[in-house]
Amino acid sequence: MRAYYEQALTLEPQMLINTLVKQITLYDDKIIIRYNSPVKAGPGESRDFSFYEKQLKMTYVRQNKKDLQYRKFTIVLSV
């Protein structure tokens, strides 16, 4: 499986991303990535779950400022 995905990322990265990623939601302090799940929920049933969460600090430059700024944000990966 790993070799398949590594090859797919090399040959057709956009197709693989479109197949695996359902939705990306950006907030000021977090990014939520929802993946397409092979496990389908029944009517009125929810099977979403988070399988990875990590807080990070990201540097950025504000316009007309020389100093780097830091912003904490959280990455949440869920299916």
Side-chain angles (χ1 to χ4, degrees), residues 5 13 15 20 22 26 28-30 34 37 41 44-45 48-49 54 57 59 63 66-67 69 73 75-76:
Y5 285 116
M15 181 189 71
L20 296 176
K22 179 178 181 179
L26 302 174
D28 288 338
D29 61 344
K30 67 181 173 180
R34 293 196 181 275
S37 173
E45 206 177 283
D48 289 351
F49 66 92
K54 184 171 184 174
K57 279 175 53 174
T59 58
Q63 189 173 3
K66 291 184 180 184
D67 296 335
Q69 303 292 313
F73 68 99
I75 296 177
V76 179

Side-chain angles (χ1 to χ4, degrees), residues 22-61:
K22 179 178 181 179
Q23 176 182 1
I24 298 174
T25 307
L26 302 174
Y27 296 93
D28 288 338
D29 61 344
K30 67 181 173 180
I31 301 170
I32 297 176
I33 302 173
R34 293 196 181 275
Y35 292 93
N36 286 315
S37 173
V39 179
K40 301 299 179 194
E45 206 177 283
S46 175
R47 295 199 183 189
D48 289 351
F49 66 92
S50 172
F51 62 90
Y52 179 83
E53 185 170 329
K54 184 171 184 174
Q55 287 193 348
L56 301 169
K57 279 175 53 174
M58 180 181 222
T59 58
Y60 67 96
V61 178

